[in-house]
Amino acid sequence: MSAAAETRRASALRRMRRGHAPGQGRVGSIIVLVVVTVLVLVPFAWVISLSLTPESEAFGSVSLIPAHPTLENYGTAFSDADLGRALLNSGIVGVVTVVTNCLLAVLAGYAFAMLPFPGNRAVFYTLISTAAIPISVTLIPLFLMARGIPLVGGNDILGHGGSGLLDTLAGVILPYIVMPMNIFLARQFFLSAPLEMGEAARMDGAGELRIFFSVYLPLAKPLIAVVAIFSFTGVWDDFLWPLVVTSSQEVQTVQLALARFLGSGNVQYGPLMAGTVIATLPVLVVFLFNQRSFISGLSDGGVKG
């Protein structure tokens, strides 16, 4: 018997003596996975069940399968809350946010990692520290900034006299154009990228933008997937900032539309659950579209945080 085989046999015997039979750890992991899956899926199953239950029977039984299933709640969600327009608005905000972060945040992370300059670390850590500031603290400065954008919304060149970006989709997008955590993820990714490829391209006379787009960006698919998913879900699920910056139904986002069913003392659970199911679908689509690159980035350590 070879030395390697003898070593493996001795290791297996030691695990068995300690009560760790081969496969026991895997069984434990499967049990934990099943329990977590049930805890996550059961509430969502109730949401789907209530969305298919008539409003008059919403709390009349505890069965996951409605006795008289109906799609009426979905029609109410679209008609009473103008959910179609809200989905379109949130979709526009989400797509623009994903594009700006996948371009600007990734470019910024590349610059911090590959293009050292005086004060690089100080600027980077100052920028990242802003991610720890609660959104409630920055609401007033963000509101004043959105209102004071020059030459927009009736403002003069000094940002006075009009409403700026208030009650517009551009105002909703403003805080999400570049997210600090996405810059952090991009920098960590490019710090682990091979420097030799960039140096070879520079020797051939390529500029930094060409090196970024032709050399490093094709390697950054896991990073792009992570940034896209985090950016989209972050802006899609936000409620507080759109509530502050918008006032008309024409520019409401999907979370504000769902809040219309939460009237004081008269919560419409059926339409609310139907709208929740509909609002969840785009997030699932974004994740499923990017899941291969997303999981690859996490499992291979492509994005190191």
Side-chain angles (χ1 to χ4, degrees):
M1 181 180 295
S2 65
E6 185 65 30
T7 301
R8 287 194 298 270
R9 181 173 180 274
S11 178
L13 288 173
R14 284 196 298 269
R15 287 197 301 270
M16 293 179 68
R17 287 170 186 159
R18 294 173 184 169
H20 298 284
Q24 183 176 350
R26 185 176 181 182
V27 172
S29 299
I30 292 175
I31 292 175
V32 172
L33 179 61
V34 170
V35 171
V36 172
T37 302
V38 170
L39 291 176
V40 172
L41 291 184
V42 167
F44 189 66
W46 275 110
V47 170
I48 296 176
S49 176
L50 284 173
S51 72
L52 297 173
T53 302
E55 187 70 15
S56 59
E57 303 176 7
F59 295 98
S61 66
V62 294
S63 174
L64 276 175
I65 302 177
H68 305 92
T70 178
L71 295 176
E72 180 181 357
N73 292 324
Y74 288 87
T76 302
F78 277 98
S79 60
D80 290 5
D82 199 7
L83 193 59
R85 179 187 292 272
L87 288 169
L88 177 61
N89 292 338
S90 288
I92 293 172
V93 173
V95 170
V96 173
T97 300
V98 168
V99 171
T100 57
N101 278 270
C102 287
L103 181 60
L104 300 179
V106 173
L107 266 172
Y110 172 82
F112 279 119
M114 297 290 193
L115 305 175
F117 54 87
N120 183 311
R121 287 182 175 272
V123 173
F124 174 74
Y125 287 120
T126 301
L127 185 64
I128 296 303
S129 66
T130 62
I133 302 175
I135 182 64
S136 56
V137 176
T138 60
L139 281 179
I140 294 178
L142 284 173
F143 181 87
L144 295 176
M145 183 186 301
R147 189 184 65 179
I149 298 293
L151 304 178
V152 175
N155 284 342
D156 57 24
I157 195 170
L158 298 177
H160 300 150
S163 58
L165 295 180
L166 298 183
D167 202 27
T168 65
L169 292 181
V172 178
I173 296 169
L174 182 63
Y176 304 105
I177 293 176
V178 180
M179 299 181 183
M181 284 308 299
N182 289 335
I183 297 177
F184 172 78
L185 292 173
R187 176 181 180 269
Q188 298 305 108
F189 176 87
F190 289 116
L191 282 177
S192 64
L195 297 175
E196 297 79 8
M197 299 175 64
E199 292 173 355
R202 291 186 186 94
M203 292 179 63
D204 290 338
E208 289 300 331
L209 284 178
R210 183 176 179 183
I211 293 173
F212 172 76
F213 285 105
S214 301
V215 177
Y216 287 109
L217 192 60
L219 302 177
K221 290 182 180 180
L223 170 67
I224 298 298
V226 172
V227 170
I229 291 174
F230 286 173
S231 301
F232 186 84
T233 55
V235 70
W236 185 270
D237 294 334
D238 190 25
F239 174 79
L240 188 56
W241 172 245
L243 178 65
V244 170
V245 77
T246 64
S247 57
S248 62
Q249 186 172 335
E250 287 72 18
V251 293
Q252 71 176 356
T253 60
V254 66
Q255 302 303 327
L256 296 182
L258 294 179
R260 294 168 64 87
F261 296 113
L262 299 174
S264 177
N266 185 29
V267 179
Q268 297 176 269
Y269 289 101
L272 176 61
M273 295 300 104
T276 301
V277 172
I278 296 171
T280 304
L281 294 179
V283 178
L284 293 177
V285 170
V286 170
F287 176 75
L288 292 175
F289 183 76
N290 294 284
Q291 66 170 333
R292 181 174 298 179
S293 296
F294 179 78
I295 295 173
S296 173
L298 295 181
S299 61
D300 297 339
V303 179
K304 301 178 180 178

